Amino acid sequence: LVLNRSDLISFYNAGALSDLSTVLTNDTTEQIYPGVLDYGTIDGELVGITCEATINTLFVSNAVWDKEGWNLQDVLGIIKSREEAGDPIERVVAYDYSYVPHLMLSHLALMDITNSGFVNLDTKTCNFDSDEFLMLLEYCKKYGQEATDDYMEEEELLAELNGGKSLAYVCEGNLVTFSKVKAMLGDDYHCVGYPTESKQGSFWQFYNGCVAVSSKSTKSEEANDFLRYLVDYSTQKKYALNWIRRDVLLDNVKDAVMLYGNKEPVPVFFTSESSIIELDGKEDGSSYVKEYIELAEQCVPNKNEYKQINSIIQEEVPAYFSGQKTAKQVAEIIQSRVTLFLEE
């Protein structure tokens, strides 16, 4: 079975999944990032294994925010201060296409809705009718833009960022993407993650879900062999681009390699003896692999277990963004619907 997190939980609660805790060797699990394993773990039991994952985080200028993380209040405070100083921002996040209001809302609150301050799972309560959520909606409408087909080049996004028109930059991808962003932004920027009330606002994204094994399977050994193959060192090196093993990167990224046609040495990833992937690197030709692994170790899985809450919000907010309802009316509807969902 290939399942997303929500379905994985449903199948697990129905007793339909096999325990995979002993399928992988300790040597293998020690090399897989903790957040990747956590995505397929329920109640301490490993029931799903994924072979690819990408990071998703935000970078911010040291001059704008010099702390390691931030929450929604911090971001809204920066926006308000800039407005009061007569130097308002144009967009919160520099992104490669039109920054529509619902995308801004996603970046500021929905990436980690259960740690946003708007939902309390312990008490099964929410506060979407609060002044803070109303302010968030108003900012999203104010700074959001109409959808267009215009594509912004990286140079344009960087100029927007350096010019103070936007606060943060999205980094979503693998080591190749991370290296490109690091080389482009330089030492004046650092990884801050998405706004959250938890300790970590940088996430693992899983586009292909988890592979799980039916508890009724009569071919469990064959299935387990396949799972081991998916995360095997050689498989990850040759066929995966969104690597989940740190040793694959540590062993196969080489610094300062002089490639034909290049004027300066660059870091590369060796997929084989004769096949390489060129990486963006530092001025001395060294890679950002250690910085990437340090971030990857801290990333938490974007489990999206409560995607129904996100769906409710995204279903209702267009009525405000289009002017059909007021922010208060929309917030009250969201409050009512999410409260009902939590109670159920």
Side-chain angles (χ1 to χ4, degrees), residues 106-261:
S106 177
H107 284 155
L108 290 180
L110 304 190
M111 286 294 296
D112 194 18
I113 188 65
T114 55
N115 287 306
S116 65
F118 296 123
V119 178
N120 189 321
L121 295 178
D122 293 331
T123 60
K124 293 187 177 182
T125 57
C126 58
N127 60 336
F128 290 103
D129 54 355
S130 63
D131 290 340
E132 185 178 53
F133 189 70
L134 292 176
M135 183 186 300
L136 174 60
L137 292 180
E138 291 165 1
Y139 275 133
C140 290
K141 185 174 183 178
K142 182 175 183 178
Y143 291 103
Q145 302 169 355
E146 292 184 4
T148 69
D149 294 328
D150 295 337
Y151 177 82
M152 293 186 69
E153 299 291 341
E154 290 174 350
E155 293 77 10
E156 296 177 276
L157 293 173
L158 184 59
E160 181 182 274
L161 198 63
N162 289 333
K165 293 182 179 180
S166 55
L167 294 183
Y169 191 89
V170 172
C171 178
E172 184 176 5
N174 53 23
L175 173 64
V176 179
T177 305
F178 177 83
S179 300
K180 191 173 187 178
V181 171
K182 283 286 291 182
M184 180 178 68
L185 296 182
D187 295 334
D188 293 333
Y189 289 80
H190 68 282
C191 179
V192 69
Y194 288 91
T196 181
E197 295 294 334
S198 67
K199 294 181 179 179
Q200 184 55 253
S202 297
F203 301 97
W204 283 112
Q205 298 280 93
F206 305 91
Y207 297 105
N208 296 321
C210 281
V211 180
V213 179
S214 167
S215 59
K216 304 297 184 182
S217 175
T218 59
K219 300 285 186 179
S220 58
E221 277 307 308
E222 289 88 340
N224 292 344
D225 284 341
F226 177 65
L227 289 172
R228 286 188 282 265
Y229 167 79
L230 288 177
V231 299
D232 182 72
Y233 180 96
S234 60
T235 305
Q236 285 281 305
K237 178 183 176 181
K238 292 180 180 179
Y239 304 116
L241 283 177
N242 303 323
W243 307 277
I244 62 168
R245 294 180 61 125
R246 67 178 71 81
D247 56 351
V248 170
L249 297 183
L250 289 173
D251 293 349
N252 298 288
V253 172
K254 307 299 180 185
D255 291 340
V257 176
M258 183 59 75
L259 300 179
Y260 178 76

